[in-house]
Amino acid sequence: MDWTPRAYDLADRVTRPDSPWRAPIAATPRHAFVPRWWRYTADGWALQDGPADEEAWAAAAYSDRTLVTQVGSLHADHATPADRPTGRPTSSSTLPGLVVQMLEYAAITDGDTVLDVGTGSGYGTAVLCSRLGSGRVTSIDIDTYLTKAAGERLTEAGHQPYLVTGDATGPLPGVVDRIVAMVSVRPVPASWLEALPTGGRLATTLTNTSMILTATKTDDGGAVGRIERDWAMFMTTRTGADYPARDQAALERARTADGEVVTPARYPVLDLLETWEVRSMLEMMAPDIEHHHEVDGDTRTAIMLHADGSWARAVQVAGGQPIVHQGGPRRLWDLLDEVRAYWLQHGQLPLHGALARVSPDGTIRLRRGQWSASIT
């Protein structure tokens, strides 16, 4: 494949002309890190084999989009065309524009040492190596196959960073100037703060939110920073081969049961999988809500589930007033209404632009005007 012109074109689309990441993007053969991937279709996840269709491979690899490489525990490298995995994505090659965005938020300079959290396909690691040199880059992932395959592909591309297989929220090897995460966490792992010197910087997203946290290590062992006025969402860190299985029985109950409380909704049904800012604010109030959104003709249904047994279902037909069913110890839809009422009253939500103080144990305290919140 004549990939160089495509990589230059990609660099032109995802970086500014004066960006220090322009040359690394142009010099990195992304297709080599994603020879096979998964594409979501009407029939579920379908395997895409790059070498079998080189033009489609090049078009996908040098597009500014995420390519899912693993669903559940099944990596595309190990799949057959007949496979239709049904789990959640567990690894990917992040869209290059977002890779650049996070690297820029980490404020990496020439000569810095960097910990890349979430090796994935190895593409982002290669971009780091292209600018800094392999000796200044460490990358960590929980999945043995991911670090093995990425290591082989990085070597073929001329890079040999230090690759670690392990839990990125646990102890880390050595001290680095910058930590940049292509996965989300909540709270900030204490080990990250321990791995940074005073003045070192981290850039990450917070689990189940669109919030990008940047923070600089302070001499008390914590960090200060802010929630950037920007949006990004990543897979959350995991400790095993897959995320815990979803409770399908609980989902079916929420989809069909009569609620303990049944009321008309104050506002139209939202797709909280796409309404990132509202979902992020709700996450501050009730962490770890599972969201589902279903469309059947002119009927829209939103479902929320929580591990504590709380659930809500809102159904809206043809633009009419939705009806909400709620059950369990908390009224999840009422919390969502509080978020939407705040938005209407203030004209915005307070998350993006909030000041952040991170304690040495990783607890995040946010403040913007009269609003404050803690993330533990």
Side-chain angles (χ1 to χ4, degrees):
M1 179 190 299
D2 184 12
W3 61 270
T4 302
R6 295 177 183 271
Y8 269 89
D9 179 64
L10 177 62
D12 188 51
R13 283 181 279 126
V14 303
T15 65
R16 305 180 311 275
D18 61 345
S19 171
W21 299 108
R22 194 177 186 87
I25 293 289
T28 302
R30 189 181 185 216
H31 72 283
F33 294 90
V34 195
R36 307 176 103 205
W37 66 98
W38 295 105
R39 182 172 63 88
Y40 197 74
T41 71
D43 297 323
W45 293 103
L47 181 65
Q48 308 297 296
D49 184 10
D53 186 342
E54 193 170 280
E55 185 58 33
W57 185 17
Y62 296 98
S63 66
D64 189 27
R65 64 185 178 95
T66 292
L67 301 178
V68 172
T69 53
Q70 186 167 277
V71 176
S73 59
L74 183 59
H75 198 285
D77 289 352
H78 303 144
T80 70
D83 287 319
R84 288 290 187 272
T86 57
R88 297 160 61 187
T90 50
S91 189
S92 68
S93 177
T94 300
L95 65 149
L98 185 51
V99 171
V100 171
Q101 178 183 4
M102 294 304 295
L103 296 177
E104 289 181 338
Y105 277 127
I108 297 165
T109 61
D110 294 340
D112 282 340
T113 53
V114 179
L115 174 65
D116 167 37
V117 179
T119 308
S121 71
Y123 172 73
T125 313
V127 171
L128 279 165
C129 290
S130 181
R131 178 179 174 190
L132 303 175
S134 298
R136 295 186 176 275
V137 178
T138 299
S139 188
I140 186 170
D141 204 294
I142 190 67
D143 192 308
T144 301
Y145 179 71
L146 294 180
T147 53
K148 175 180 178 293
E152 292 171 353
R153 289 161 184 165
L154 283 159
T155 297
E156 290 172 1
H159 307 302
Q160 291 188 312
Y162 181 35
L163 297 179
V164 179
T165 302
D167 182 356
T169 66
L172 298 174
V175 175
V176 292
D177 300 310
R178 300 288 187 266
I179 296 176
V180 58
M182 303 295 170
V183 292
S184 62
V185 294
R186 189 189 68 235
V188 173
S191 60
W192 291 17
L193 297 167
E194 294 167 3
L196 288 171
T198 298
R201 182 178 173 92
L202 65 87
T204 187
T205 53
L206 303 181
T207 299
N208 294 334
T209 79
S210 60
M211 298 158 62
I212 302 171
L213 170 68
T214 59
T216 300
K217 174 83 172 282
T218 50
D219 57 12
D220 64 356
V224 294
R226 65 177 181 176
I227 301 300
E228 298 292 344
R229 294 181 182 274
D230 207 342
W231 291 262
M233 292 191 82
F234 284 98
M235 301 173 196
T236 187
T237 52
R238 52 189 171 89
T239 57
D242 198 354
Y243 297 110
R246 287 172 168 163
D247 189 338
Q248 293 300 319
L251 175 59
E252 187 59 27
R253 285 194 300 272
R255 184 179 281 125
T256 59
D258 290 332
E260 298 165 15
V261 176
V262 182
T263 58
R266 296 169 60 187
Y267 308 108
V269 168
L270 279 180
D271 181 356
L272 288 165
L273 296 172
E274 299 294 338
T275 316
W276 288 6
E277 191 173 12
V278 173
R279 176 181 172 183
S280 298
M281 187 71 172
L282 181 61
E283 185 72 14
M284 297 295 97
M285 302 167 68
D288 296 322
I289 294 176
E290 179 182 323
H291 298 280
H292 298 265
H293 188 81
E294 301 168 358
V295 178
D296 183 6
D298 61 359
T299 299
R300 299 170 62 202
T301 302
I303 296 173
M304 297 193 290
L305 296 171
H306 197 277
D308 68 3
S310 302
W311 62 273
R313 178 181 75 252
V315 181
Q316 183 174 21
V317 180
Q321 186 173 30
I323 301 298
V324 179
H325 293 250
Q326 300 187 80
R330 289 187 290 180
R331 300 292 174 252
L332 300 181
W333 200 266
D334 290 353
L335 294 176
L336 175 60
D337 278 351
E338 289 182 30
V339 173
R340 299 178 77 175
Y342 185 104
W343 196 356
L344 289 173
Q345 179 181 356
H346 297 276
Q348 62 179 340
L349 295 176
L351 301 175
H352 297 94
L355 300 177
R357 180 170 290 276
V358 186
S359 301
D361 67 357
T363 299
I364 307 165
R365 292 177 174 83
L366 303 178
R367 178 175 58 81
R368 185 176 175 202
Q370 299 300 309
W371 176 82
S372 64
S374 293
I375 303 172
T376 58

